[in-house]
Structure formats: C-alpha cells, structure tokens
Amino acid sequence: MVIGLCKLCREQRGLIDSHLLPKSAYKQLRGRIAGRQSPVILNPLTGTAFSSDAQVTQFLLCKECEDLFSKKGERQLGKLWSTERGFALRDSLHKLKPIASKRHVTAYNANEIADLDSLFYFAISVFWRAEVWGWEGRSNGGALGAKYSEMFRSFLLQKGEITDAYLIVSVNSNSRYDYIMSFPTARKEYGGVLHMFLVPGLRFELLIGKAIHRTLAEVFKMQGRVLINMFEFEKTPMFAQWSIFANCGADIKGKLKIQTAEIRAGREVVK
Ligand SMILES: [Zn+2]
C-alpha cells in the first residue's frame, strides 16, 4: 500500500489509486464504437485522442475520501448517464414538460427527477481533482485558483459551501455521441471562467465568477445552481470536429492529433 498525504483530508494515510474520471465511465465506453473494444478518450489539454484501456489514475485520496466521493456523487451519476442498456436521465427528461426552448436547446426543471445536489457534488469533485492532479508537466492545475480550490475542498468535505459557481448539465439528445469522455478544461466565457468535461452522454460545465452575464445570473437565481438542458451534441461545432471519431473509429491507432479551434481554445487554461 502507498502511504502518503491524502489531498482532500490532508491526513497521512494509505492512498487509493484514484481515477480522474470515474472508473465506471470507462466501463460504459468499452465496445461502443463498432469494431472497437477500447474507449476513445479526448484530452483537450494535450490536443490528443487515444483509444486505450489505460485509465488515468493517481494515488491521490485515502479510502474514506474516495468513499465520500462515491457516496455523495458518483453512485447517483451511475444511475443517470448513458449506458449500453439505456440512458435514464434522457428518458426521464423526455417525460417532463420543458421550461424553455430556444433554437435546438431545451431546458428542464429537473428537480423532480434527479438529485441535483449529487450532480453538483460530482462535478465539483471532478474539477477539484483536476486542480490538484499531478499532470507531469502538463498543467491543468491552476485553472480554479487557490481561493476556489480551497472552497471546493471544504465543500467536498462537507464543511463549507460554494459561492459564485453555477452548473450546467447538458444531456445528449442523440445517442450517436454518447461514448465520448473528455478531461476537464477551462476557458473564459459568459463573464466568468467556464470549466468543462464530458462523461457518457453528459456534458458538465461549471461557470465560476462574481460577475457572470446578467441574463444567466437571473436564470440561475430562478432555477437554483444547477440547470439541466438537452440538445444534440452532434450539432455543436466542437462535436462536428470530433465526428472524426465516428467516421474513422476503427482506424484510430495510438495518438491522434486533434486540430480544432475549440480544442485549442480549451487547452488555454485561464485564471
Ligand atoms: Zn482523505
């Protein structure tokens, strides 16, 4: 067993080989591209994509803290996201009356069908993990900054609250691109810093800032700190570029350079 300082509780303890993105998500991705067993993972930080069973792990947390992450966030998420057998959150949203619809995006008040606190906790746990992760030369740490990093840590330990952070969970309305995952990135957007990652069928975006655009601030004031919307991922510019994977899925060998403006922008970690 590896003994070290747990990054969350900061106690000297036996450490677990923690995942940056949930281990169960890798399982969902296996075999979902025709003719290919291993999942495709996008790493906007390095501008690469890789098809591999290798999972990004690090000795980061003690068992108690890892269990806390699982109990407070990941377990609930595992009941909602896209799997080979179905996509519970999408199915539930289809039964709800939308609260707003603009162009191709539909917004829902999802309080009655999903535990939004768990989704928020899960998102915070991933963004915080990316912040404290040792990136071996590649830097994602620093995107949150010291103040939010400490605020998030305290929240994850259930000792404090988070202010000025708003979560947008987007649900893919078309299963074609459900099988993609991506590591957290950050960029300036909507008057704050927008942090983003993908797990099967879901995109998590966390907008952090004291002076986010007024319209968005008003929406969050009415709806609470978590918004759920649904649209076809395929129709966003980012996914149009990533469709390379759908078209040549079986041909991906090793590392593949992704050359899109969106991803390059995503690599620029801003403070
Ligand atoms: Zn710990």
Side-chain angles (χ1 to χ4, degrees), residues 13-261:
R13 289 184 169 160
L15 298 182
I16 304 275
D17 198 13
S18 304
H19 283 72
L20 179 55
L21 293 171
K23 185 180 180 182
S24 46
Y26 288 88
K27 216 183 292 172
Q28 300 307 336
L29 293 177
R30 271 188 67 81
R32 292 186 73 180
I33 302 176
R36 169 160 296 277
Q37 273 305 302
S38 305
V40 170
I41 319 285
L42 305 171
N43 187 350
L45 291 171
T46 53
T48 53
F50 53 97
S51 176
S52 163
D53 281 324
Q55 303 181 4
V56 175
T57 64
Q58 204 165 95
F59 289 96
L60 195 75
L61 302 174
C62 72
K63 186 168 184 313
E64 285 82 351
C65 291
E66 190 72 46
D67 285 349
L68 187 64
F69 279 7
S70 166
K71 193 177 103 203
K72 296 288 295 175
E74 284 172 28
R75 214 171 287 168
Q76 165 76 2
L77 191 81
K79 295 177 192 158
L80 296 174
W81 64 20
S82 169
T83 72
E84 246 174 336
R85 293 174 307 284
F87 191 168
L89 185 54
R90 182 164 61 204
D91 293 346
S92 306
L93 288 181
H94 279 311
K95 291 175 195 149
L96 283 186
K97 198 167 170 263
I99 51 167
S101 199
K102 197 174 181 186
R103 275 174 286 184
H104 61 284
V105 181
T106 312
Y108 295 89
N109 181 351
N111 271 301
E112 48 198 278
I113 54 157
D115 176 357
L116 301 187
D117 285 341
S118 294
L119 288 178
F120 189 77
Y121 188 97
F122 168 73
I124 295 297
S125 78
V126 172
F127 291 120
W128 174 82
R129 253 176 289 195
E131 178 75 9
V132 297
W133 203 262
W135 281 99
E136 296 168 3
R138 290 174 284 132
S139 168
N140 185 56
L144 272 187
K147 179 185 140 194
Y148 284 104
S149 179
E150 195 49 36
M151 191 194 281
F152 282 23
R153 181 179 159 263
S154 168
F155 169 80
L156 291 167
L157 286 165
Q158 300 179 277
K159 289 180 179 166
E161 258 308 323
I162 287 180
T163 53
D164 305 320
Y166 312 90
L167 181 67
I168 304 162
V169 181
S170 300
V171 178
N172 187 13
S173 61
N174 176 343
S175 56
R176 195 163 155 219
Y177 286 97
D178 277 356
Y179 54 74
I180 293 172
M181 279 210 297
S182 85
F183 295 126
T185 55
R187 67 178 194 271
K188 283 184 181 160
E189 189 90 59
Y190 309 126
V193 178
L194 189 70
H195 300 253
M196 189 275 285
F197 67 86
L198 296 157
V199 291
L202 299 172
R203 182 177 75 180
F204 285 81
E205 290 175 303
L206 189 74
L207 181 60
I208 302 177
K210 278 193 181 304
I212 64 166
H213 287 179
R214 194 184 295 170
T215 322
L216 259 181
E218 277 166 13
V219 173
F220 281 112
K221 205 169 163 190
M222 279 186 328
Q223 291 296 319
R225 64 184 175 184
V226 183
L227 292 182
I228 306 254
N229 62 41
M230 179 152 67
F231 60 90
E232 215 171 326
F233 283 8
E234 197 173 338
K235 297 223 164 116
T236 62
M238 178 172 75
F239 278 84
Q241 297 292 339
W242 286 355
S243 69
I244 182 173
F245 299 108
N247 298 331
C248 66
D251 297 324
I252 297 172
K253 290 193 181 82
K255 288 192 171 183
L256 186 66
K257 196 85 178 160
I258 309 171
Q259 293 168 331
T260 75

